Amino acid sequence: MSEFISKQNLLTWLGQLIGERNLVAPTRVDDLLLFRKIDRVEDIVFDFDNTTLSPKEWFFPSSETLFYVDRKDGQTELMPAAIEKETAIFGIRPCDAQGMTMNDYPFLEEPADDLYRQHRDITALIGLACITACPECFCTSMGGGPHDTANVDILLTEVTDGYIVQVLTDKGKALLPDNLLATADVSSPLAPVLSEIPSEGIAEKMRQAFDEPFWDRLADRCIHCNICSYVCPTCYCFDVRDYTDKERIERVRSWESCQSPGFTRIAGGHDPRSTKGSRLRQRFSHKLLYFPNQFGALGCIGCGRCVRACPVNIDIREIIQDVQQLGVKSEA
Amino acid sequence: MKPENPLLPYLSTLQELIDLTPDVKLFRLELNDPDIRESFDYKPGQFVFVSAFGVGESPFGITSVAHRKAGVDVAIRRVGTVTNALHQLEPGATVGVRGPFGNYFPLDEYKGKNIFIIGGGIGFAPLRPIITTILDYREDYGDLVIINGARSPQDLVFAPEFDTWAASPKTKLELTVDAGDEKWTGRVALIPSVVSELKLSPQNAIAVTCGPPIMIHFTLIELRKLGFADNQIITTLEGKMKCGLGKCARCNVGDKYVCKDGPVFSMEQISQLIEQF
Amino acid sequence: MDFSEEIRSKAKELLESGTVDCVIGYERATDGVGARPLFVYQPNDIDRLIFDQTCTHNLTKYLLNRKDKATAIVVKPCDSRAINLLINESQIQRDKVSIIGVVCPGVVKAGLDNTSGELQDTCRMCQQHTPVLYDFLVGELGLEPDVPDTYPDVTGMEDKSAGERRAFWEEQFSRCIRCYACRQVCPGCYCLECFVERLDPTWVGIRIAPGENEVWNTMRAFHLAGRCIDCNECERVCPVNIPLSLLNRKLGKEVEELFKFQAGIDAETPMPFSTFDKEEKLGISE
């Protein structure tokens, strides 16, 4: 027996959530699917693979004001930005939720990033288990799974006429409308089977392959845009700049990518990662070697967005396979 | 008492600006809030971010010592947009200070040893607090040799303190320039050749060096030739930084963040880094 | 259409004779359907080269990374115009590039394979099926465009009211995430320091918001006015589907009407916006 919510009751519940807090869910924007704040339940898309951009922008926005400084009458006052309204994200996939847990490692490590912590505290995750998988998905090779309950507050799994409801945290429990749930004798469908990527031992193989010309050759076709980092749920590099508008100064942080030329260039002109190969190697080393070294988990959660979005088909699955093979070659 | 949000600066007032060289000024800063000022503790090697509000923020090594309780000093070389804006401030101006960040020189481990301080240009800024500490606690340390070099005599940093340094017991001050001028009667030589000329002994010694990458590269060669082991050679790394907390993921050298795991590294630690710059 | 064998044969010849150190062409992507750029340095990689109607990328941007090295490159007609542009603007030297030009009937839509026959929208409007510049030609000459109206997309937009157009573009630019893929892929965007990177003064800054996005996209389009060779790469790479070609083609249409000029048709004709001709009238409304 499982907790169950009918499709109709789910719509009612989501309508209630719209009334009491920010509800963020996948919705169509032109021909893209993006997580946006929802005003009407009719705008929510339920049948989809995954969104073009990850939901990380609801915790780590593409641009965010850190604080304001007002200068009046010789006085300087500093006002930190604050987030207030409770939010629920509906329709987050288990891989993206795992991505948020990965982001917690750097952001919440002491001293914690205050704005990120506020976003995380006020947001509940209502996950949607994956019934099918995109061709590019490989979460099961990266420590996750299409029906994974580890990183969400509630997980819904679609069955006939409704969804199995699994409540996983107190935050999830507080969100639930008891009178809309039922129990039903349904079992969860089998999780889709994904292609396997040989991620076992990849950190050590990445270490061994560090000085290989492989990275320069791969970087030949990289155009060093920011697409991979921006669509990725676990990329978190940011830039910080001040803006002045009359007497008010605003310090803003925005997404950035280690792929951009000039990412490591310091005043005076010196740039330790001036070559394309060193920058490309940095991104994959961060995901597959440094992040596991620092935090004990792989930085990539296998959502496949970068694979779909890269204009020149730099494919992390292929890279993992090639790096594993490089190790074999050098032993031989 | 840190603010809850480590990305928020402490409002601070610029007390004094002292010209050290044509492009380097010493900034004396005082944190405005008395509680924060009282509890703001730091060690040699650590750094702060100084904000010119509306222009931006950059990291600078702290060049004063906390135990003297005389505010926070940074030596800033004018080289880009933020440093240019800072150089144009007047005493009394409000700036932001975030920190202290980073690790520090383990001076307790250097007690009883001979210390060789080898610095070039603005690279001398993070080395000065080591000298100040040794001078304030002179009996705790062995011989002190200071090699301070620059492109030209007017580019030597911390000139107002040279007499104090030279006058300290068991202390030798060796100044050197790449090119002299009409008034210069001192040594004209590159820093690495001074290291080799002085035949610094690695016996019970620590060498701390900081400066332009090429200077460090050749100084390292000379120190190794003299028999210094990699764990006896200490330096600081730099990198482009935005947060100082290891969160913006920019200043890493391999899996180490210069802002968190550094900026102080021994050559032994540096040689083990997977990424070599 | 599949010219893989011809491309491989020419590439082999150029590599083995030492005429070039590298051949920039295409290979099959990991989805088994599309294509991706390939850099061939060794003869034993020649067989990876393909050429068919999935080969959408404009490879000419990569020539700017190899300015002093002898390179062979596979180009479609639109791509070949970029080479003329780069020569005209003194960015590459003609004698360093061996150009393998391909007569192109059009590229298929993303995600479709070579046999689908469904061309990209931009290819349906194409006026140039033969490369304008080449050392070696692959394919038969004589393929003529059968599209009478050269800018149907632009005139369609021009017919809308100012209010409709403003609303349209506000919506489009609000989605921009400033990944700069459009700039990075564009052979015409090669400034060592892009205006968005300037701090002193800050033209755009790092904030990702509708106002800044509008400035970024429109200013880039203006920097390409009279220079865009209409390869559609910017629009193809955009992860949030902003119709960037429409902007660039609008300005291209204006330049064609005002100056009777199209970028990249040859490498000698002075470019309208980098030429000062005292004879030109400076009237605003003529």
Side-chain angles (χ1 to χ4, degrees):
Chain A
M1 297 297 274
S2 313
E3 288 235 70
F4 173 86
I5 190 165
S6 69
K7 182 68 185 282
Q8 191 50 53
N9 282 353
L10 174 62
L11 296 175
T12 306
W13 177 36
L14 291 172
Q16 285 170 5
L17 288 175
I18 290 177
E20 57 187 61
R21 61 185 64 224
N22 284 334
L23 179 69
V24 172
T27 187
R28 217 150 274 293
V29 179
D30 271 4
D31 48 359
L32 293 174
L33 196 68
L34 298 171
F35 276 98
R36 286 281 145 97
K37 183 164 163 310
I38 300 292
D39 294 320
R40 307 176 317 157
V41 179
E42 303 83 76
D43 294 332
I44 301 177
V45 173
F46 292 88
D47 189 14
F48 64 99
D49 283 335
N50 213 345
T51 53
T52 304
L53 297 178
S54 79
K56 81 175 173 192
E57 54 179 327
W58 291 96
F59 303 91
F60 171 48
S62 58
S63 279
E64 184 168 34
T65 301
L66 297 177
F67 58 83
Y68 299 92
V69 174
D70 276 349
R71 309 182 108 135
K72 271 193 299 261
D73 313 316
Q75 294 301 318
T76 305
E77 206 197 324
L78 196 146
M79 292 146 312
I83 300 115
E84 270 143 35
K85 203 163 178 195
E86 298 276 321
T87 302
I89 300 186
F90 170 77
I92 186 171
R93 296 298 190 189
C95 59
D96 290 335
Q98 183 187 347
M100 290 324 304
T101 304
M102 293 303 112
N103 291 330
D104 287 348
Y105 284 116
F107 277 117
L108 297 182
E109 188 188 42
E110 283 303 310
D113 185 297
D114 194 61
L115 283 172
Y116 178 92
R117 188 186 50 73
Q118 288 183 50
H119 282 298
R120 275 300 245 159
D121 285 347
I122 55 149
T123 309
L125 300 180
I126 305 169
L128 203 55
C130 299
I131 305 303
T132 56
C134 326
E136 301 84 13
C137 292
F138 57 105
C139 65
T140 46
S141 303
M142 310 306 276
H147 289 193
D148 203 358
T149 54
N151 306 291
V152 290
D153 298 298
I154 297 173
L155 186 70
L156 302 178
T157 311
E158 195 181 345
V159 289
T160 319
D161 298 326
Y163 297 80
I164 294 173
V165 180
Q166 292 173 272
V167 182
L168 300 145
T169 64
D170 290 334
K171 203 190 247 181
K173 199 157 193 289
L175 218 52
L176 272 183
D178 290 312
N179 56 337
L180 293 175
L181 294 184
T183 41
D185 190 9
V186 280
S187 47
S188 191
L190 289 174
V193 175
L194 311 181
S195 47
E196 275 180 30
I197 305 300
S199 58
E200 180 81 32
I202 188 62
E204 182 49 37
K205 284 289 177 352
M206 286 289 296
R207 174 181 297 286
Q208 289 169 17
F210 197 83
D211 292 313
E212 294 277 343
F214 169 79
W215 300 107
D216 284 329
R217 294 290 67 82
L218 185 62
D220 275 337
R221 70 178 188 268
C222 177
I223 59 172
H224 295 284
C225 60
N226 299 342
I227 288 180
C228 51
S229 305
Y230 285 16
V231 300
C232 173
T234 57
C235 273
Y236 57 88
C237 286
F238 58 86
D239 196 358
V240 179
R241 291 256 181 105
D242 284 9
Y243 293 93
T244 311
D245 181 15
K246 299 192 183 53
E247 281 150 10
R248 166 162 282 201
I249 286 153
E250 202 179 338
R251 180 163 293 171
V252 174
R253 76 160 156 209
S254 295
W255 289 353
E256 212 189 345
S257 169
C258 56
Q259 298 308 294
S260 316
F263 182 70
T264 46
R265 193 186 309 130
I266 54 180
H270 177 60
D271 187 352
R273 273 192 223 123
S274 55
T275 67
K276 285 157 59 73
S278 64
R279 286 200 299 278
L280 191 70
R281 178 183 62 187
Q282 158 64 21
R283 183 155 189 278
F284 295 102
S285 299
H286 192 177
K287 293 265 176 259
L288 304 171
L289 171 59
Y290 306 155
F291 197 92
N293 276 1
Q294 286 157 356
F295 303 116
L298 287 171
C300 170
I301 46 81
C303 70
R305 283 190 179 87
C306 61
V307 177
R308 284 190 286 279
C310 176
V312 296
N313 189 225
I314 293 192
D315 187 329
I316 191 172
R317 304 168 302 173
E318 187 183 26
I319 291 170
I320 292 173
Q321 279 160 343
D322 286 348
V323 167
Q324 293 279 19
Q325 285 305 303
L326 273 174
V328 168
K329 252 190 276 172
S330 36
E331 277 160 40
Chain B
M1 191 185 78
K2 282 195 158 23
E4 265 193 43
N5 184 342
L7 291 175
L8 297 183
Y10 302 122
L11 294 178
S12 309
T13 306
L14 178 57
Q15 301 292 316
E16 214 185 334
L17 268 172
I18 301 169
D19 284 325
L20 292 180
T21 80
D23 60 357
V24 177
K25 288 190 190 188
L26 184 69
F27 286 67
R28 303 216 118 104
L29 306 172
E30 186 180 84
L31 300 159
N32 291 359
D33 182 304
D35 290 327
I36 297 173
R37 194 187 318 147
E38 184 55 41
S39 61
F40 192 85
D41 190 26
Y42 56 92
K43 296 189 168 59
Q46 292 192 304
F47 66 96
V48 287
F49 274 83
V50 178
S51 299
F53 287 123
V55 181
E57 193 188 51
S58 292
F60 303 101
I62 308 175
T63 200
S64 49
V65 289
H67 66 257
R68 284 198 182 177
K69 294 213 176 299
V72 177
D73 289 358
V74 289
I76 298 181
R77 181 165 153 247
R78 181 175 33 101
V79 74
T81 312
V82 173
T83 51
N84 224 321
L86 288 170
H87 267 229
Q88 290 178 35
L89 295 175
E90 304 273 333
T94 302
V95 296
V97 171
R98 284 198 307 119
F101 297 124
N103 67 354
Y104 45 86
F105 296 107
L107 294 186
D108 282 346
E109 288 170 24
Y110 304 168
K111 286 188 178 165
K113 295 190 196 259
N114 300 328
I115 313 291
F116 305 131
I117 306 285
I118 307 160
I122 189 62
F124 214 89
L127 302 177
R128 177 199 188 219
I130 306 177
I131 296 173
T132 313
T133 305
I134 292 174
L135 265 46
D136 287 351
Y137 298 94
R138 196 65 193 88
E139 291 308 304
D140 289 347
Y141 301 90
D143 294 338
L144 174 62
V145 177
I146 305 167
I147 303 174
N148 188 342
R151 287 187 306 265
S152 72
Q154 57 181 355
D155 291 311
L156 285 165
V157 180
F158 299 120
E161 306 189 39
F162 291 164
D163 288 341
T164 314
W165 293 351
S168 176
K170 299 187 296 172
T171 303
K172 246 194 329 183
L173 173 64
E174 306 283 349
L175 300 175
T176 183
V177 295
D178 296 351
D181 59 20
E182 324 77 56
K183 289 186 288 189
W184 183 252
T185 53
R187 187 193 263 105
V188 175
L190 296 176
I191 291 171
S193 64
V194 180
V195 170
S196 132
E197 178 204 313
L198 293 177
K199 292 193 177 35
L200 299 175
S201 166
Q203 185 75 8
N204 191 37
I206 296 281
V208 187
T209 179
C210 189
I214 189 142
M215 173 222 131
I216 300 210
H217 173 78
F218 285 106
T219 301
L220 188 59
I221 292 175
E222 295 305 324
L223 287 170
R224 281 177 173 155
K225 268 198 243 174
L226 289 166
F228 281 78
D230 277 1
N231 62 2
Q232 289 176 278
I233 307 172
I234 315 295
T235 188
T236 61
L237 293 182
E238 67 175 346
K240 184 163 177 186
M241 294 181 186
K242 288 285 175 177
C243 69
L245 309 163
K247 292 189 201 300
C248 76
R250 188 184 300 262
C251 69
N252 68 301
V253 182
D255 64 352
K256 299 276 178 258
Y257 286 115
V258 175
C259 68
K260 242 180 32 153
D261 306 302
V264 176
F265 291 95
S266 71
M267 275 321 299
E268 188 178 30
Q269 289 169 323
I270 290 177
S271 63
Q272 285 161 1
L273 292 173
I274 196 170
E275 205 170 8
Q276 292 295 320
F277 284 157
Chain C
M1 174 269 273
D2 191 317
F3 289 135
S4 304
E5 278 311 313
E6 290 88 332
I7 298 292
R8 285 177 201 151
S9 152
K10 189 45 73 182
K12 186 167 148 76
E13 198 184 299
L14 290 167
L15 260 187
E16 283 182 345
S17 63
T19 313
V20 298
D21 305 319
C22 177
V23 179
I24 307 177
Y26 304 86
E27 68 172 343
R28 190 57 68 212
T30 52
D31 64 356
V33 174
R36 71 184 187 192
L38 173 68
F39 287 65
V40 177
Y41 298 93
Q42 311 286 352
N44 61 1
D45 281 331
I46 297 269
D47 283 339
R48 288 163 66 180
L49 286 166
I50 62 165
F51 194 91
D52 61 24
Q53 287 176 266
T54 64
C55 294
T56 186
H57 306 69
N58 182 346
L59 304 173
T60 56
K61 185 76 184 274
Y62 298 123
L63 291 174
L64 296 172
N65 298 332
R66 291 183 55 88
K67 286 190 186 187
D68 51 355
K69 302 186 188 140
T71 310
I73 187 166
V74 180
V75 292
K76 306 186 290 297
C78 43
D79 310 334
S80 66
R81 286 172 63 186
I83 300 189
N84 271 337
L85 174 75
L86 293 175
I87 293 169
N88 201 337
E89 296 187 339
S90 307
Q91 294 305 306
I92 59 174
Q93 294 169 61
R94 178 66 183 93
D95 59 4
K96 285 273 190 307
V97 197
S98 298
I99 306 170
I100 306 172
V102 189
V103 177
C104 175
V107 173
V108 296
K109 287 192 166 154
L112 301 182
D113 71 37
N114 187 41
T115 60
S116 80
E118 227 182 293
L119 294 186
Q120 294 184 7
D121 291 339
T122 190
C123 295
R124 284 186 234 242
M125 298 184 282
C126 177
Q127 300 292 299
Q128 196 82 46
H129 289 293
T130 309
V132 294
L133 179 71
Y134 53 86
D135 294 307
F136 314 100
L137 189 68
V138 174
E140 294 296 315
L141 284 170
L143 201 58
E144 289 299 323
D146 50 12
V147 184
D149 180 0
T150 45
Y151 293 102
D153 50 340
V154 177
T155 49
M157 185 59 102
E158 285 169 345
D159 289 340
K160 297 191 162 100
S161 73
E164 280 176 299
R165 281 179 272 131
R166 166 134 290 281
F168 175 80
W169 286 110
E170 266 180 19
E171 162 68 38
Q172 300 301 316
F173 296 145
S174 69
R175 290 203 307 282
C176 177
I177 55 173
R178 304 267 281 294
C179 66
Y180 302 122
C182 49
R183 172 188 78 182
Q184 295 299 109
V185 81
C186 174
C189 280
Y190 52 76
C191 287
L192 294 175
E193 186 184 30
C194 177
F195 72 92
V196 291
E197 255 112 53
R198 287 307 303 250
L199 266 184
D200 254 338
T202 299
W203 295 114
V204 182
I206 60 168
R207 199 203 310 256
I208 299 172
E212 282 85 347
N213 295 346
E214 181 171 324
V215 174
W216 159 245
N217 285 296
T218 49
M219 275 183 76
R220 193 183 89 92
F222 273 99
H223 289 183
L224 287 169
R227 303 175 60 240
C228 170
I229 49 83
D230 209 6
C231 65
N232 197 50
E233 282 288 82
C234 49
E235 186 167 315
R236 176 185 73 85
V237 303
C238 178
V240 292
N241 297 356
I242 298 172
L244 295 167
S245 266
L246 195 51
L247 266 182
N248 291 318
R249 283 165 58 78
K250 163 64 176 169
L251 290 171
K253 176 169 175 282
E254 299 275 312
V255 169
E256 201 177 326
E257 283 164 7
L258 283 171
F259 298 97
K260 310 284 177 283
F261 177 84
Q262 276 192 309
I265 301 301
D266 63 55
E268 290 82 38
T269 308
M271 314 270 300
F273 293 123
S274 46
T275 311
F276 177 59
D277 181 354
K278 281 195 288 192
E279 304 303 318
E280 277 180 353
K281 287 206 255 185
L282 295 174
I284 292 170
S285 53
E286 296 275 345

